[in-house]
Amino acid sequence: MAFPASSDATSVIVISSHVVRGSVGNRAAVFALESLGFPVWAVPTVVLPWHPGHGPAGRIVPPPQEFAGLMQDLERAPWLGEVGAVLTGYLGHSEQVQAIAGLVRAVKARNPKALYLCDPVIGDLKGLYVPEATATGIRDDLLPLADIATPNRFELAWLTGVALEDNKALMEAALEIGPATTLVTSAFPLMGGSTGNILLTPTLALMAEHRCVQGPTNGLGDLTAALLLARKLAGFSDEKMLQSTTAAVFEIMARAAKRGADELMLEADAASLSSPMAMVQMRRLVHPTKGLRA
């Protein structure tokens, strides 16, 4: 499957965590985007030896002032016109938010067609795993700038302050967080033993569902965000973008599980990034604004 860029600005700035071992954060997003033909400017927000889920470890966080200086350097980079998108994920410090917001504004000022995808990596069903100040900054300062957001169901509930008990509530909440397009992972499944993603735009509600697999889950959100952005930049339709992204992530996770791996194996499954063969169930859902339009 080809991934032609929709403009000459094909570079993507990816701002997220970096691990020495594993396929999470920037390690997942950069590999996926570059494998699909998109040059990447990679910015680490924190450096870790491995995903914290594997056990305690030290962390290196760039001092806020130095991180802000790096963002300002990128704002005035002579190659900023090459940038067609920005993707942000896990942040290492709440003070990184304002510096990132400044860079996003600079990219959009240089290229009004540039996209910003905000993956609000703040928590899971156990609650927040970043300081509340970081989560609040993402909610109040980054999401309003975003064209696309990719929260999981638990992150969406925190960001909106709404208890999400079904997909109708989930879709209503997704319309409230700001970006025109929102992909919500870990949506409520309609089939037993399954999980799904819901893509919501101002006029369209779609769900892609697949069976659950017991395998490595670290990095799935990072990979989903990168693949969704790549397909958006390549001009895929919303339905094809959701189907292909979901199938690719499911296939890579299932292959890693079959091998007994404790991390996604992107280097072994690179072909799945562009041409997944896994089957996912696609559904059109009733849009939450149906019947409310004048």
Side-chain angles (χ1 to χ4, degrees), residues 151-166:
N152 62 38
R153 173 172 29 121
F154 315 104
E155 290 163 340
L156 181 61
W158 190 91
L159 292 166
T160 59
V162 175
L164 304 180
E165 299 178 351
D166 55 31

Side-chain angles (χ1 to χ4, degrees), residues 157-221:
W158 190 91
L159 292 166
T160 59
V162 175
L164 304 180
E165 299 178 351
D166 55 31
N167 284 333
K168 182 175 183 295
L170 183 152
M171 290 188 290
E172 290 171 348
L175 288 177
E176 296 298 319
I177 64 170
T181 299
T182 299
L183 174 70
V184 185
T185 60
S186 306
F188 295 94
L190 301 181
M191 301 185 298
S194 297
T195 187
N197 298 329
I198 287 181
L199 182 71
L200 198 73
T201 74
T203 58
L204 188 66
L206 296 168
M207 184 170 187
E209 199 169 1
H210 61 77
R211 62 184 176 84
C212 290
V213 174
Q214 296 300 316
T217 58
N218 298 335
L220 293 179

Side-chain angles (χ1 to χ4, degrees), residues 1-4 230-238 240-241 244:
M1 185 180 297
F3 279 79
R231 284 153 170 78
K232 182 70 173 179
L233 290 171
F236 283 38
S237 68
D238 289 334
K240 184 61 177 174
M241 180 173 68
S244 182

Side-chain angles (χ1 to χ4, degrees), residues 1 3 36 227 231 236 240 243-252 255 269-280:
M1 185 180 297
F3 279 79
L36 296 175
L227 293 180
R231 284 153 170 78
F236 283 38
K240 184 61 177 174
Q243 182 274 329
S244 182
T245 296
T246 304
V249 175
F250 170 48
E251 184 168 299
I252 289 168
R255 289 179 182 274
D269 298 318
S272 298
L273 296 170
S274 61
S275 303
M277 303 298 291
M279 300 296 293
V280 297

Side-chain angles (χ1 to χ4, degrees), residues 2-260:
F3 279 79
S6 57
S7 73
D8 293 333
T10 60
S11 294
V12 180
I13 300 177
V14 179
I15 307 170
S16 190
S17 58
H18 176 83
V19 295
V20 175
R21 177 190 184 272
S23 296
V24 303
N26 269 7
R27 289 288 303 276
V30 173
F31 184 92
L33 285 162
E34 291 189 337
S35 294
L36 296 175
F38 296 92
V40 175
W41 301 12
V43 179
T45 56
V46 58
V47 179
L48 302 159
W50 49 72
H51 187 279
H54 290 312
R59 51 192 279 137
I60 301 172
V61 180
Q65 187 173 356
E66 294 182 14
F67 184 86
L70 175 62
M71 294 294 101
Q72 290 163 7
D73 285 342
L74 296 181
E75 287 179 31
R76 60 175 178 266
W79 314 278
L80 199 64
E82 299 172 0
V83 177
V86 179
L87 187 161
T88 61
Y90 183 89
L91 304 187
H93 196 287
S94 62
E95 292 186 34
Q96 293 174 348
V97 168
Q98 291 301 325
I100 292 169
L103 177 59
V104 171
R105 293 189 185 98
V107 169
K108 285 180 168 285
R110 182 69 176 269
N111 177 9
K113 293 182 179 181
L115 297 175
Y116 170 37
L117 188 155
C118 179
D119 183 12
V121 184
I122 60 175
D124 54 26
L125 77 168
K126 298 176 183 177
L128 290 181
Y129 48 59
V130 300
E132 188 167 343
T134 302
T136 300
I138 291 171
R139 181 192 66 196
D140 296 345
D141 298 309
L142 294 185
L143 280 171
L145 299 174
D147 303 287
I148 306 170
T150 56
N152 62 38
R153 173 172 29 121
F154 315 104
E155 290 163 340
L156 181 61
W158 190 91
L159 292 166
T160 59
V162 175
L164 304 180
E165 299 178 351
D166 55 31
N167 284 333
K168 182 175 183 295
L170 183 152
M171 290 188 290
E172 290 171 348
L175 288 177
E176 296 298 319
I177 64 170
T181 299
T182 299
L183 174 70
V184 185
T185 60
S186 306
F188 295 94
L190 301 181
M191 301 185 298
S194 297
T195 187
N197 298 329
I198 287 181
L199 182 71
L200 198 73
T201 74
T203 58
L204 188 66
L206 296 168
M207 184 170 187
E209 199 169 1
H210 61 77
R211 62 184 176 84
C212 290
V213 174
Q214 296 300 316
T217 58
N218 298 335
L220 293 179
D222 306 305
L223 183 60
T224 297
L227 293 180
L228 188 79
L229 180 59
R231 284 153 170 78
K232 182 70 173 179
L233 290 171
F236 283 38
S237 68
D238 289 334
E239 187 165 0
K240 184 61 177 174
M241 180 173 68
L242 175 62
Q243 182 274 329
S244 182
T245 296
T246 304
V249 175
F250 170 48
E251 184 168 299
I252 289 168
M253 177 176 59
R255 289 179 182 274
K258 187 175 181 179
R259 298 186 187 101

